[in-house]
Amino acid sequence: QVQLVESGGGLVQPGGSLRLSCTASGSIFSINAMDWFRQAPGKQRELVARITSDGSTNYAASVKGRFTASRDNAKNTVYLQMNSLKPEDTAVYYCHGTITPSGSSYSNGYWGQGTQVTVSS
């Protein structure tokens, strides 16, 4: 069983920073791409950032230059450093991993439970 657990959300003032973490645990053979999504009330879930197994990153236009994704493969953990936060960044942030479980030849997509980020004065 593979699980993803996020942490690091909270309330921050506009212009502030937060760092989210997502750790994968369980019977894991390999972790491929890891993604950060977010979903604001009344809106569709959107891809914020992707980091591949070799560390390459891609970002949504709305966060480019402000958010940075990174990963620690030894800890099966990915991070999302969020700077210069804006009220429109308020959302539940979800981690998604493309992971091959131990004993399997196929990768599956796994979601974390989400962590709330609120940007407000």
Side-chain angles (χ1 to χ4, degrees):
Q1 186 76 5
V2 175
Q3 289 186 323
L4 299 180
V5 178
E6 300 108 332
S7 62
L11 173 65
V12 64
Q13 292 186 342
S17 299
L18 283 174
R19 189 176 83 152
L20 307 183
S21 300
C22 172
T23 299
S25 63
S27 299
I28 296 171
F29 175 71
S30 66
I31 299 176
N32 303 316
M34 295 290 289
D35 307 311
W36 286 100
F37 285 79
R38 67 185 181 188
Q39 188 167 20
K43 295 189 176 181
Q44 289 189 333
R45 192 171 295 189
E46 63 172 347
L47 179 64
V48 173
R50 166 166 289 176
I51 182 165
T52 63
S53 56
D54 66 358
S56 299
T57 53
N58 285 289
Y59 300 95
S62 58
V63 306
K64 193 173 292 186
R66 300 188 297 121
F67 290 11
T68 302
S70 60
R71 64 192 287 168
D72 184 336
N73 291 331
K75 296 181 178 180
N76 287 345
T77 298
V78 294
Y79 305 95
L80 186 67
Q81 178 67 45
M82 305 185 295
N83 298 329
S84 302
L85 283 161
K86 305 175 181 180
E88 51 263 43
D89 294 318
T90 296
V92 178
Y93 284 71
Y94 296 91
C95 175
H96 174 271
T98 303
I99 298 171
T100 303
S102 297
S104 174
S105 300
Y106 305 98
S107 61
N108 298 310
Y110 297 87
W111 290 94
Q113 82 285 357
T115 186
Q116 177 71 46
V117 171
T118 302
V119 185
S120 175
S121 54

